[in-house]
């Protein structure tokens, strides 16, 4: 440091003074009265001292940064095409929404017309399907269910009728009635047979012929009654044993009719609850797809007009009238220069102590600007090996143009409410750091200390002393532990502005005084 260089010069000066003094004495040849060494060592050393102050200390570091607008937009077209007209050039000021240039819309207009026709067709088909189409589905399912329901009712009625006509009690009654009729007819036939036999014995042919005809008719009726009786009897037995085929057929027909009715009912439910909604959903989806196609075509039409998304100044223009434009490269760059920032990179050691809101200075071309940190990066830039930070430049940035490099001075270490001393109070010897404290007995006490951060003038003391101690801040080559000292100055001891600047001046004066006295340096041990 400059202070240390000065002390080395003082040492050389002191040595020269001693040598010249010795030469002078030899040349004069006179005998000056000798001063005993013990007496000289016991003389008090005049020193200045101060109390450590409590305050904040900040260490700054210089970085290289680049100025740019806080808001800058690369404007890419969203479609390729031929440029019809451009409306702004580099340096022009634009407002948000201003039309920058137009792209030929001819091809897009054809797409819009095609999409509109497809959408209109889908609308017509949707109206037809949701109208007559769905109504026809409902009518068909309803008709099928009605027919199945009527078939079931007919089968049930047939079975009920047959059951009524073929019940066991009724069949038994019919059997009894038929048996009586058969018995009566059998008696009647027997009587006719006896009459025919009697007439034959008498010899009346006319009467015999009549009786024979009656007998033949009675035998026929008897046979029919007997057959009917046997049929009813067989039906009674089948009904009683459950083997009536007609009854089985009627019951089977009823089951089939019930199944058909249930199927038709379920089909009607599916049509109403599932098929029709699915049809409507398909129609809606198809219509939505056509509408999306139309909207996309209309959006493409909007893309033929390229506007500025922000207020700002045109910094780059890469399109010209009747030229080509594509989404692969920016057509314009618009920057809002009302707020300018400087971006710079810092190492991890500095990042630990940097926070948003820290004040910085920006220097360029002999001019200095102030600013504040607005972003502190947390991800390393692999290319630079630094963490990106950004500071906003206060007030009017003047001639700080976009892209220029500047020097940024930012705080990289901080100590709050720390015990502070001027750096010239600190001694180093063989890896030991210490100060000299002025004791109440008037001696210098060597006191080891632990130090923290430091700048060119002030250092943080972490331990070893307190604000109550008087720390010697003047240098003397003969100052060692236990040396008798006398305080002759205490500049900065009660200063409300801290020890840094005033004590630095006091240290310089004390050093010059000591060099004139022929004292040797010792602060560096």
């Amino acid at each position: 440091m400059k202070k240390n260089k000065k002390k080395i010069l003082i040492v050389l000066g002191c040595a020269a003074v001693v040598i010249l003094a010795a030469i002078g004495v030899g040349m004069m040849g006179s005998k000056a009265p000798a001063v005993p060494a013990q007496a000289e060592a016991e003389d008090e050393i005049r020193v200045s001292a101060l109390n450590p102050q409590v305050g904040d200390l900040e260490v700054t570091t210089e970085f290289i940064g680049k100025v740019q607008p806080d808001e800058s937009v690369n404007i890419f077209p969203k479609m390729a095409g031929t440029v019809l007209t451009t409306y702004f050039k580099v340096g022009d000021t634009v407002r948000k929404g201003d039309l920058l240039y137009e792209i030929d819309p001819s091809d897009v207009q054809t797409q819009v017309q095609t999409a509109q026709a497809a959408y209109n067709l889908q609308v017509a088909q949707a109206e037809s399907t949701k109208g007559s189409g769905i109504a026809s589905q409902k009518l068909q399912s309803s008709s099928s269910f009605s027919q199945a329901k009527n078939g079931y009712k007919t089968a049930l009625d047939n079975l009920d009728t047959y059951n009524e006509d073929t019940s066991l009690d009724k069949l038994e009654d019919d059997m009894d009635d038929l048996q009586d009729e058969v018995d009566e007819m059998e008696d009647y036939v027997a009587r006719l047979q006896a009459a025919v036999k009697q007439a034959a014995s008498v010899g009346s042919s006319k009467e015999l012929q009549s009786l024979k005809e009656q007998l033949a008719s009675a035998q026929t009726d008897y046979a029919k009654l007997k057959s009917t009786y046997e049929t009813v009897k067989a039906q009674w037995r089948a009904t009683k044993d459950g083997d009536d085929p007609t009854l089985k057929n009627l019951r089977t027909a009823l089951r089939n009719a019930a199944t058909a009715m249930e199927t038709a009912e379920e089909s009607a439910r599916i049509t109403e609850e599932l098929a029709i909604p699915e049809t409507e959903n398909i129609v809606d989806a198809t219509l939505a797809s056509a509408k999306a196609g139309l909207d996309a075509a209309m959006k493409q039409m909007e893309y033929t007009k390229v506007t500025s998304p922000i207020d700002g100044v045109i910094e780059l223009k890469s399109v010209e009238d009747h030229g080509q434009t594509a989404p692969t490269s920016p057509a314009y760059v618009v920057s809002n220069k009302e707020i300018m920032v400087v971006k710079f990179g810092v190492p991890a050691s500095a990042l630990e102590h940097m926070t948003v809101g820290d004040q910085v200075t920006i220097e360029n071309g002999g001019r200095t600007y102030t600013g504040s940190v607005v972003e502190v990066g947390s991800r390393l830039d692999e290319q630079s090996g630094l963490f990106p930070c950004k500071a906003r430049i206060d007030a009017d940035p003047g001639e700080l143009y976009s892209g220029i490099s500047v020097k940024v001075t930012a705080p990289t270490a901080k100590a709050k409410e720390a015990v502070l001393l001027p750096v010239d109070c600190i001694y180093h010897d063989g890896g030991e750091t210490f100060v000299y404290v002025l004791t109440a007995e008037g001696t210098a006490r060597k006191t080891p200390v632990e130090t923290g951060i430091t700048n060119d003038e002030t250092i943080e003391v972490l331990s070893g002393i307190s604000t109550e101690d008087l720390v010697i801040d003047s240098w003397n080559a003969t100052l060692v532990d236990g040396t008798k000292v006398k305080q002759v100055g205490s500049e900065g001891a009660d200063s409300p502005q801290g020890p840094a600047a005033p004590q630095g001046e006091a240290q310089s004066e004390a050093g010059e005084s000591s060099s004139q006295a022929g004292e040797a340096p010792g602060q560096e041990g």
Side-chain angles (χ1 to χ4, degrees):
M1 292 184 295
K2 293 181 179 179
K3 198 69 174 179
N4 293 334
K5 292 180 180 179
K6 186 172 183 180
K7 289 175 181 177
I8 294 172
L9 294 176
I10 292 173
V11 171
L12 295 175
C14 291
V17 170
V18 172
I19 293 170
L20 290 174
I23 293 173
V25 170
M27 291 178 64
M28 291 175 61
S30 61
K31 296 182 180 180
V35 180
Q38 183 67 26
E40 186 173 347
E42 290 179 355
D43 289 344
E44 293 179 333
I45 297 176
R46 295 161 60 85
V47 298
S48 62
L50 53 78
N51 295 108
Q53 301 294 302
V54 174
D56 299 338
L57 182 60
E58 188 175 83
V59 177
T60 60
T61 305
E62 295 177 352
F63 304 97
I64 299 299
K66 183 166 288 189
V67 176
Q68 65 183 52
D70 188 36
E71 187 177 25
S72 183
V73 181
N74 293 332
I75 301 172
F76 292 83
K78 295 184 178 180
M79 60 175 289
T82 302
V83 177
L84 286 182
T85 309
T86 61
Y87 298 101
F88 293 93
K89 62 182 182 298
V90 173
D92 288 347
T93 299
V94 295
R95 305 292 295 178
K96 180 179 180 179
D98 281 350
L99 181 61
L100 300 178
Y101 70 102
E102 293 184 78
I103 302 173
D104 186 355
S106 301
D107 293 340
V108 180
Q109 286 173 342
T110 301
Q111 295 176 12
V112 171
Q113 292 170 357
T114 302
Q116 183 68 63
Y119 175 70
N120 292 342
L121 176 61
Q122 291 300 327
V123 169
Q125 290 179 348
E127 291 175 350
S128 174
T129 302
K130 285 190 172 183
S132 59
I134 290 179
S136 177
Q137 281 184 284
K138 290 182 177 180
L139 180 61
Q140 184 176 355
S141 64
S142 175
S143 176
S144 298
F145 176 66
S146 296
Q147 290 177 3
K149 188 175 181 180
N150 290 334
Y152 174 78
K153 186 176 182 303
T154 298
L156 182 62
D157 289 343
N158 291 338
L159 180 60
D160 289 344
T161 299
Y162 183 77
N163 284 332
E164 290 176 0
D165 294 340
T166 59
S167 64
L168 288 175
D169 291 340
K170 186 175 184 301
L171 289 174
E172 288 175 355
D173 291 340
D174 291 344
M175 286 173 59
D176 291 341
D177 293 340
L178 287 172
Q179 184 66 53
D180 292 340
E181 291 180 9
V182 168
D183 292 342
E184 289 177 1
M185 184 59 71
E186 189 175 1
D187 290 342
Y188 178 62
V189 169
R191 288 195 303 271
L192 284 176
Q193 288 176 342
V196 169
K197 187 176 181 181
Q198 184 178 1
S201 63
V202 173
S204 175
S205 58
K206 185 176 182 179
E207 181 180 3
L208 178 61
Q209 182 64 34
S210 176
L211 288 173
K212 286 183 177 178
E213 291 176 358
Q214 292 179 22
L215 177 60
S217 176
Q219 287 176 335
T220 300
D221 291 340
Y222 174 76
K224 289 181 179 179
L225 282 173
K226 189 70 172 175
S227 175
T228 301
Y229 171 78
E230 293 299 332
T231 299
V232 172
K233 185 177 180 181
Q235 188 176 5
W236 173 81
R237 287 176 178 174
T239 302
K240 182 178 180 182
D241 296 337
D243 295 330
D244 185 356
T246 302
L247 181 60
K248 287 183 178 180
N249 291 337
L250 289 173
R251 287 175 176 173
T252 300
L254 180 62
R255 286 195 297 270
N256 293 338
T259 300
M261 183 179 68
E262 291 173 357
T263 301
E265 183 179 19
E266 180 65 13
S267 177
R269 185 192 67 80
I270 292 174
T271 299
E272 185 68 28
E273 297 180 5
L274 299 176
I276 290 177
E278 286 178 358
T279 300
E280 291 176 338
N281 290 338
I282 293 173
V283 169
D284 291 342
T286 305
L287 186 61
S289 177
K291 182 65 167 60
L294 177 59
D295 291 343
M298 296 296 291
K299 182 63 69 175
Q300 286 292 108
M301 182 62 73
E302 293 179 11
Y303 293 159
T304 63
K305 298 182 183 296
V306 182
T307 60
S308 175
I310 63 170
D311 298 343
V313 176
I314 303 293
E315 290 201 309
L316 180 144
K317 175 188 176 186
S318 62
V319 291
E320 299 296 338
D321 293 359
H322 312 300
Q324 295 298 309
T325 185
T328 55
S329 60
Y332 280 86
V333 174
V334 179
S335 299
N336 182 355
K337 294 189 174 183
E338 291 183 2
I339 300 176
M340 299 292 284
V341 297
V342 56
K343 289 189 173 181
F344 58 100
V346 302
S349 58
L351 187 74
E352 297 176 1
H353 303 282
M354 189 174 294
T355 59
V356 172
D358 284 347
Q359 296 300 302
V360 300
T361 59
I362 300 100
E363 297 180 44
N364 177 64
R367 298 187 62 181
T368 301
Y369 308 85
T370 60
S372 58
V373 176
V374 293
E375 287 184 15
V376 178
S378 58
R379 183 174 182 178
L380 183 72
D381 184 305
E382 294 182 359
Q383 185 174 359
S384 65
L386 302 174
F387 290 86
C389 296
K390 183 168 72 174
R392 177 175 175 172
I393 303 172
D394 298 336
D396 184 4
E399 297 180 357
L400 291 179
Y401 298 109
S402 299
I404 66 171
S405 296
V406 294
K407 182 171 71 174
V408 181
T409 303
T412 53
K414 302 172 187 175
K416 298 291 185 180
E417 298 184 358
V419 176
L420 306 177
L421 279 176
V423 292
D424 290 337
C425 292
I426 304 299
Y427 290 78
H428 303 279
D429 185 12
E432 183 183 14
T433 302
F434 57 92
V435 297
Y436 286 109
V437 174
L438 180 58
T439 66
E441 293 76 17
T443 61
R445 184 180 71 238
K446 181 180 178 181
T447 304
V449 293
E450 180 185 1
T451 58
I453 64 173
T454 180
N455 58 22
D456 290 341
E457 298 177 345
T458 307
I459 190 168
E460 175 191 17
V461 179
L462 301 175
S463 63
I465 59 172
S466 70
T467 56
E468 302 297 325
D469 293 322
L470 269 176
V471 179
I472 297 173
D473 66 334
S474 58
W475 179 83
N476 190 290
T478 61
L479 184 64
V480 293
D481 187 34
T483 301
K484 291 184 178 181
V485 294
K486 180 178 181 181
Q487 183 179 3
V488 295
S490 57
E491 296 90 337
D494 299 317
S495 171
Q497 299 182 358
Q503 295 307 320
E505 297 173 359
Q507 182 82 6
S508 299
E509 294 174 359
E512 293 171 0
S513 175
S514 298
S515 67
Q516 293 173 1
E519 296 169 343
Q523 191 155 349
E524 295 298 322

